[in-house]
Amino acid sequence: MGGAEGLLLLLAPRFRDLGWEVSVVCIKEPGEMAPLFARERIKVDVIPFSSRWSPRSLYRLAKYFKEQQTDIVHTHMYRPNTSGTAAARLGGVKVVISHIHNVNHWDDFRQLFVDRMLARHRDVIIAVSQGVRRNYLERARVSADKVIALYNGVDLETF
């Protein structure tokens, strides 16, 4: 459990309250946060992946998006951003949003190259700060108008 998962748990109920049908898709197992999403009445589905780029796994996720008539896919962090973008486009999803939480989030040049190629298939890339945005623009070399900085919200009620 980390910041991205906590942010998702904060945002998903708010999107639902605005009238969106929201679900969380996990590619391994529901994980320790699944009961927290269930408590918020957010559906958690598992689409098992054998590997990040397995054609069969990407097909299953794309099929899920089609069956659910998914309009928006919003992924967080490098690995979900890549396979999520590919499956969303294969599944005919209208809007793909990727969320970047860290600077230099690639392990190697291969990951950076893949991210550069997939960036053109995303509608918006959200960076959690201006620093993360600048770093992403410098390294990924994507159009500046595609990448926005949107600071994480904090629920002050918890404090």
Side-chain angles (χ1 to χ4, degrees):
M1 263 181 9
E5 295 86 354
L7 176 64
L8 186 57
L9 184 59
L10 181 68
L11 292 176
R14 285 166 174 77
F15 286 131
R16 183 209 52 231
D17 293 347
L18 289 171
W20 293 90
E21 185 178 326
V22 179
S23 61
V24 173
V25 177
C26 302
I27 63 170
K28 290 188 179 178
E29 68 270 340
E32 59 190 87
M33 290 193 69
L36 302 176
F37 285 102
R39 188 174 342 139
E40 293 292 338
R41 300 180 329 275
I42 302 296
K43 182 172 79 165
V44 176
D45 289 316
V46 178
I47 309 297
F49 264 53
S50 57
S51 72
R52 179 90 26 221
W53 291 110
S54 157
R56 176 176 280 167
S57 299
L58 289 171
Y59 171 77
R60 271 192 221 122
L61 185 54
K63 183 179 175 196
Y64 170 87
F65 291 147
K66 266 188 187 175
E67 289 171 350
Q68 298 297 312
Q69 298 177 358
T70 303
D71 291 320
I72 300 170
V73 167
H74 184 164
T75 58
H76 291 261
M77 312 282 277
Y78 170 75
R79 286 170 179 82
N81 287 349
T82 56
S83 52
T85 298
R89 289 306 181 200
L90 288 170
V93 173
K94 296 173 189 163
V95 176
V96 177
I97 302 168
S98 291
H99 216 116
I100 302 183
H101 295 256
N102 304 308
V103 297
N104 296 322
H105 70 208
W106 308 277
D107 293 339
D108 54 33
F109 182 77
R110 180 190 57 79
Q111 286 186 354
L112 175 59
F113 177 77
V114 168
D115 203 27
R116 283 179 183 162
M117 295 301 105
L118 288 171
R120 70 182 72 166
H121 300 286
R122 297 176 183 137
D123 296 287
V124 177
I125 300 165
I126 299 173
V128 299
S129 70
Q130 288 295 343
V132 170
R133 180 180 185 271
R134 275 191 304 275
N135 175 262
Y136 189 80
L137 288 171
E138 287 171 14
R139 301 286 314 278
R141 295 187 217 140
V142 299
S143 173
D145 60 344
K146 188 172 266 203
V147 184
I148 63 168
L150 182 61
Y151 296 93
N152 290 342
V154 176
D155 183 359
L156 297 178
E157 293 294 316
T158 60
F159 299 102

